Amino acid sequence: MSALWTKTRAFVGSPAAVIVAGSMLVLVAATFATVLWPVYTMKHKPSSLWRPNRTLEDEGRLRYIANGCTYCHSQYVRPQDWGIGAERIAESGDYHQQQPHLLGSERTGPDLSQEGGEHSDDWHLAHFINPRFTRPRSLMPRFAFEGDRNIKALVAYMQSLGGKNADARVAAQKRFHAEAIAAYRKGPDENIEWLHSRVPRSWRAMPTESPVTDASVARGEKVYQDYCIGCHGPVGDGEGPAARYLEPRPVNFTTLRRHLIDRKYIGGILYYQIMNGITGTAMPYFKKDLESAKIWDVSNYLERNFIGHTDDKYPDVGIPASYEGKEAGPVTDQPAPEPPSRSVAP
Amino acid sequence: MLRDPLFVPKHTKGRPMPEGRFWEKEYSSARVWLAGGAVWMAIGTLAGLGSAIHLVAPDFFANIPWLEFGRIRQVHVNTVLFGFVVQMLIGCALYIMPRVLATKLFSEPLANLAALFFNAGVVLGDIGLMAGYTQGREYAEYIFPADVLLVIALVMVAVNMVMTLVRRNEQLLYVSSWYFAGAIVWTVFMYPLGNVMWHPATGAETGITDAIFLWFYGHNVFGLLVTPLAVGIAYYMFPRIAGAPLYSQALSIIGFWSLLLFYTHIGAHHLIQAPIPTWLKTVSIIDSFAMMLPVATVLVNQWYTARGRFGRFLTNPSAKLMLVGTIWYAIVCIQGPLQSLAVVQRVTHFNNWVVGHAHIAVLGFTGFIALGGMYYVLPYVTGRRVYSEKLINIQYWLILLGLLDFFIVLTIAGLIQGQDWLNGATVYRTVPQMKPYMTLRLAGGLMIITGAFVGVYNVLMTFRKGEPINP
């Protein structure tokens, strides 16, 4: 033991001790400079959108952490972002009282910092049961194993993301949900009439602004399969796998045939509703996912395949895109199928 | 050059292995830590396979909670980091440390007990993660009890390292011993800090502050734990394999202190786009670039030591693994500073580019050196030749090709994602585009996993049937 003691005494003044102790000093100094000092000097105040979480939302947050959701979903929007939540760049006060932070480091799925109110509760339910029900190309795992109670908490947490901004969006969902459900319960035709009535007048009497060509319909089919098929189903009858979780249920496109505007037009309505969604129902807006041409393509697909009526032949006063006008000649050898001669409008 | 740091340790030559229980025998702890590392490598990469399958076929493990992507990904990351890399590196260090100090390890039983605590921590942590008990902070997910077990183990190793320094018979402190002692002592300080262990329930601080704590730790796990351990092992192996003295003692001193100085400042480069103070981001970017200094000094020092003698490294499988590890170190530490730049991160952040970077850092740099170090050390600590050199070579090629696949495929995938997002595509639109890359990545992963299992077999067979080396 005394030999060890001698060696210990020798060690204290030796270069080895300088290395161990000196390096610790450097580390402590660095910790002070890059952790303690910024934490001390930062403002720790809530931002304008922050609000405390409710109990159910906190429960959902714990399930979000438990399942490692943060490894695919970030929770901060950057200035260069375009997707959901791009209206609100993250501020440090948004994360007030959060413990742990859930900023995340990867976006295998979308950012969720402003998810609250972006989708309806029933959309989230179907999405948690099987994400491919509402988002056919999603890579997200199914969370049916979490059970009804936890999924409810997770949905509540989703709807809280974005704080007061989320609350405003959720309020809009609630407002239109009441109207939508009332119309839906009256019957399928009344439902369509109500949906049409919520499209601005200028969009209603508008034909498709992109000719219903075979190529356009083929592109539209791809869009339909990537975005729409989970709810509206492969034959457009509104009986996709997500439908049983949704209230009101997705529209059956074939019924639109009875509700052409002026017995002619449907393209503008389809475009408007795909673009903006139907807030208050599970129908999300797609204007961030799909550019203008893609929305026309998918509405052309719906017209030809499910509605059985195309409205691109009606003359309009506009100047067509150069490749679409009459002067451009036929775009395909096969003429588009004629719409049926007998109108079934009421 | 003070003195040739290469010496033949006298106390081990021609002496019979001391009698006693297995945990008291010389190098028994190194054996335990190395074997543990090899086994965890197989388990950890298997968890990686589970995660990779999710990204190709999301319904493959549908509704199996403990195999859900978010959980199994955490198991993968923590197991390969702590179970495999850290454990295998410490195993090598437990042999090298006493050798360069011309003494015996301070306490074999203590180091064995530390292995027990360390592995218990990894087991408990992993089971917790699969059951949904996680702190949800990257690299700091293990729950509090697992943190405690790991810290106890690290304290035991730190005591062992420092006391071995105290009892040294060699007055010249070879640079490997600095790195080993430093790595463990720093981590004992930094691990509880980054894991916010004064909040046992959440293991987190409050608000955006938590992100600053986390990424200080998150990057230091690499900078102050696995990097110094791996560099220390390479510093030991280069002169030994080359049969030449270290190129420059002065460079090794510069490399050591500049690593510590710069690496500790760069954690915030994970948060360049997040709402933290701008000056902190600036510091992190500048120091990220300053990191090229320690990296360059280390690599110049080591490669110049091998100058004219690289042939010896290519004919020796363990040296080959280690040498390739240093090449990955160069690649990862050129890529790292570049991607800390805000203008580069605009594209690379949040996508698979970073995943590729992480894999060449942990598996390429530290993993290759850990494997090379293990195969180099195994004969000395078991008294047996490695069971099969051929299997080492097979493992080398499987892991190297698998990792190259990862690096190339994930970098391409990341650039596609990043550029698409920058041009306004939503995340959902980039998801289907990832399919071919995720499939190729799965293929590379299968090669790495096969390599890991080949390694486990080789290590266990070395213990059982390795050809004994005549004393």
Side-chain angles (χ1 to χ4, degrees):
Chain A
M1 195 61 204
S2 66
L4 185 60
W5 175 241
T6 316
K7 288 202 165 184
T8 308
R9 289 193 56 177
F11 175 78
V12 168
S14 73
V18 173
I19 291 167
V20 173
S23 68
M24 274 309 291
L25 275 177
V26 174
L27 177 56
V28 170
T31 309
F32 179 79
T34 61
V35 179
L36 303 182
W37 184 247
V39 166
Y40 177 70
T41 54
M42 272 166 69
K43 289 191 183 74
H44 300 280
K45 282 194 289 194
S47 65
S48 59
L49 60 68
W50 184 85
R51 66 156 171 82
N53 269 4
R54 304 181 185 103
T55 315
L56 191 62
E57 293 162 359
D58 270 334
E59 274 178 45
R61 188 170 197 270
L62 290 176
R63 297 317 300 161
Y64 183 91
I65 297 169
N67 286 305
C69 305
T70 187
Y71 298 98
C72 290
H73 295 286
S74 62
Q75 280 195 23
Y76 62 103
V77 173
R78 313 166 295 174
Q80 73 262 37
D81 284 334
W82 297 67
I84 279 181
E87 303 307 307
R88 179 56 161 70
I89 314 300
E91 292 174 17
S92 65
D94 298 355
Y95 306 91
H96 191 66
Q97 284 190 3
Q98 288 192 10
Q99 187 177 337
H101 78 281
L102 295 171
L103 291 178
S105 59
E106 232 186 310
R107 278 188 191 165
T108 306
D111 186 275
L112 295 181
S113 58
Q114 294 293 326
E115 174 57 36
E118 288 281 0
H119 296 93
S120 64
D121 284 1
D122 51 358
W123 184 94
H124 276 298
L125 172 66
H127 187 255
F128 276 119
I129 298 287
N130 185 339
R132 281 153 294 289
F133 284 178
T134 58
R135 289 294 236 178
R137 302 302 295 266
S138 168
L139 284 179
M140 186 168 131
R142 301 187 202 179
F143 286 96
F145 67 80
E146 280 286 320
D148 294 345
R149 164 78 195 169
N150 284 349
I151 289 180
K152 205 174 166 196
L154 277 164
V155 172
Y157 175 58
M158 287 299 109
Q159 301 294 36
S160 77
L161 288 168
K164 290 175 187 166
N165 289 12
D167 292 346
R169 292 188 290 264
V170 169
Q173 293 274 6
K174 280 208 177 109
R175 179 154 62 93
F176 291 111
H177 181 71
E179 269 186 62
I181 209 84
Y184 175 70
R185 286 184 182 152
K186 279 184 198 159
D189 290 310
E190 289 81 355
N191 188 31
I192 299 293
E193 286 306 322
W194 174 76
L195 285 168
H196 281 8
S197 75
R198 298 305 311 221
V199 174
R201 183 181 300 274
S202 55
W203 287 83
R204 271 185 256 166
M206 185 196 283
T208 178
E209 282 298 333
S210 193
V212 188
T213 61
D214 287 350
S216 167
V217 169
R219 292 192 300 267
E221 182 173 16
K222 166 100 174 79
V223 175
Y224 187 81
Q225 287 172 353
D226 283 358
Y227 293 85
C228 320
I229 199 166
C231 298
H232 292 285
V235 293
D237 58 356
E239 294 293 339
R244 55 187 284 234
Y245 301 96
L246 307 180
E247 176 84 18
R249 289 208 163 202
V251 159
N252 177 347
F253 292 123
T254 58
T255 60
L256 289 173
R257 187 57 191 279
R258 303 199 289 265
H259 298 276
L260 304 177
I261 303 294
D262 302 338
R263 300 196 172 189
K264 286 195 246 177
Y265 304 118
I266 193 67
I269 289 178
L270 291 174
Y271 187 100
Y272 185 84
Q273 290 180 332
I274 294 167
M275 170 176 73
N276 271 357
I278 297 155
T279 303
T281 77
M283 173 73 184
Y285 61 80
F286 287 97
K287 59 182 162 192
K288 297 206 176 198
D289 280 317
L290 300 172
E291 301 93 332
S292 174
K294 287 181 179 167
I295 299 181
W296 284 126
D297 286 339
V298 74
S299 80
N300 286 348
Y301 172 77
L302 301 180
E303 287 190 7
R304 189 191 278 183
N305 279 37
F306 302 144
I307 304 173
H309 168 86
T310 55
D311 57 5
D312 67 339
K313 65 192 171 66
Y314 300 108
D316 203 358
V317 294
I319 302 173
S322 61
Y323 75 97
E324 292 173 339
K326 287 192 180 102
E327 295 81 356
V331 287
T332 169
D333 294 338
Q334 301 154 345
E338 282 294 308
S341 54
R342 195 170 62 89
S343 173
V344 272
Chain B
M1 184 62 53
L2 297 167
R3 234 172 75 188
D4 186 348
L6 268 179
F7 59 90
V8 181
K10 299 169 194 80
H11 71 288
T12 49
K13 271 279 157 87
R15 250 178 38 181
M17 283 284 191
E19 293 299 313
R21 304 297 195 107
F22 77 89
W23 61 79
E24 293 165 347
K25 287 181 181 165
E26 189 161 33
Y27 300 136
S28 62
S29 60
R31 290 199 287 274
V32 169
W33 284 82
L34 289 175
V39 171
W40 280 119
M41 181 184 183
I43 298 170
T45 49
L46 211 53
L49 175 72
S51 326
I53 289 173
H54 273 284
L55 295 172
V56 177
D59 285 326
F60 194 81
F61 299 117
N63 279 322
I64 306 174
W66 56 279
L67 284 178
E68 182 261 315
F69 176 84
R71 301 187 188 185
I72 205 76
R73 181 196 192 272
Q74 299 174 65
V75 173
H76 166 61
V77 168
N78 286 280
T79 307
V80 294
L81 180 59
F82 293 105
F84 159 38
V85 175
V86 171
Q87 180 151 222
M88 201 179 269
L89 291 172
I90 288 179
C92 298
L94 286 172
Y95 164 78
I96 295 170
M97 187 78 172
R99 287 292 293 256
V100 298
L101 298 172
T103 182
K104 286 205 275 187
L105 191 67
F106 171 66
S107 167
E108 288 289 340
L110 186 64
N112 278 309
L113 192 61
L116 189 67
F117 273 90
F118 194 89
N119 285 292
V122 175
V123 169
L124 180 67
D126 281 355
I127 291 174
L129 293 176
M130 286 194 282
Y133 294 98
T134 172
Q135 295 178 337
R137 301 159 85 243
E138 215 160 353
Y139 308 117
E141 287 100 342
Y142 280 171
I143 47 172
F144 183 74
D147 286 342
V148 171
L149 290 170
L150 288 184
V151 170
I152 291 174
L154 288 169
V155 169
M156 289 176 177
V157 178
V159 168
N160 232 333
M161 291 284 181
V162 173
M163 291 312 289
T164 306
L165 262 181
V166 169
R167 295 208 320 181
R168 71 189 193 275
N169 292 316
E170 168 61 49
Q171 279 313 300
L172 176 78
L173 288 167
Y174 186 58
V175 62
S176 295
S177 64
W178 308 14
Y179 278 113
F180 295 151
I184 306 294
V185 173
W186 302 334
T187 305
V188 166
F189 168 81
M190 172 231 12
Y191 188 94
L193 185 78
N195 279 274
V196 193
M197 284 178 69
W198 57 93
H199 289 165
T202 58
E205 262 299 333
T206 307
I208 205 80
T209 303
D210 186 46
I212 297 176
F213 270 89
L214 173 70
W215 287 112
F216 170 76
Y217 158 82
H219 213 98
N220 281 346
V221 165
F222 299 101
L224 299 187
L225 180 59
V226 292
T227 295
L229 287 172
V231 166
I233 290 165
Y235 261 126
Y236 178 73
M237 286 179 72
F238 265 100
R240 298 280 300 190
I241 307 280
L246 189 66
Y247 173 68
S248 162
Q249 200 76 295
L251 276 183
S252 62
I253 293 171
I254 295 170
F256 176 85
W257 288 103
S258 55
L259 172 104
L260 177 62
L261 191 60
F262 298 138
Y263 229 131
T264 46
H265 288 72
I266 67 181
H269 71 198
H270 291 259
L271 298 167
I272 295 292
Q273 300 163 343
I276 62 163
T278 306
W279 66 264
L280 188 58
K281 300 178 186 177
T282 312
V283 166
S284 75
I285 295 172
I286 293 169
D287 282 55
S288 297
F289 267 81
M291 271 305 295
M292 286 192 178
L293 176 72
V295 175
T297 50
V298 164
L299 290 174
V300 164
N301 207 1
Q302 293 177 349
W303 289 346
Y304 267 60
T305 302
R307 193 171 42 167
R309 294 161 191 240
F310 276 105
R312 299 186 187 199
F313 289 77
L314 301 181
T315 50
N316 178 338
S318 59
K320 188 166 64 182
L321 276 162
M322 189 273 302
L323 177 68
V324 171
T326 61
I327 295 170
W328 281 120
Y329 187 33
I331 296 170
V332 79
C333 286
I334 291 167
Q335 189 192 23
L338 287 175
Q339 79 189 47
S340 77
L341 288 173
V343 67
V344 178
Q345 268 197 35
R346 277 174 72 80
V347 177
T348 63
H349 196 61
F350 277 146
N351 57 47
N352 279 298
W353 168 291
V354 184
V355 183
H357 177 74
H359 278 92
I360 61 171
V362 176
L363 180 57
F365 162 40
T366 60
F368 267 72
I369 292 183
L371 287 167
M374 175 181 74
Y375 287 122
Y376 181 76
V377 164
L378 265 182
Y380 296 99
V381 298
T382 59
R384 295 167 182 273
R385 288 187 205 291
V386 174
Y387 174 68
S388 164
E389 284 209 351
K390 194 178 207 170
L391 285 182
I392 304 182
N393 278 322
I394 289 173
Q395 187 184 14
Y396 165 84
W397 281 109
L398 283 170
I399 295 181
L400 182 63
L401 293 177
L403 186 61
L404 277 169
D405 169 297
F406 260 62
F407 183 43
I408 295 166
V409 166
L410 292 177
T411 301
I412 294 172
L415 288 172
I416 292 171
Q417 287 173 291
Q419 297 286 5
D420 265 16
W421 298 342
L422 214 50
N423 287 327
T426 54
V427 171
Y428 180 70
R429 269 175 59 168
T430 57
V431 169
Q433 296 179 46
M434 291 299 106
K435 190 123 193 172
Y437 302 98
M438 292 301 112
T439 310
L440 285 170
R441 179 258 199 99
L442 181 61
L446 281 171
M447 294 174 80
I448 295 170
I449 290 151
T450 312
F453 276 94
V454 168
V456 172
Y457 177 75
N458 207 3
V459 170
L460 298 186
M461 289 306 279
T462 303
F463 283 113
R464 290 190 53 194
K465 296 201 172 153
E467 181 196 338
I469 302 166
N470 287 331

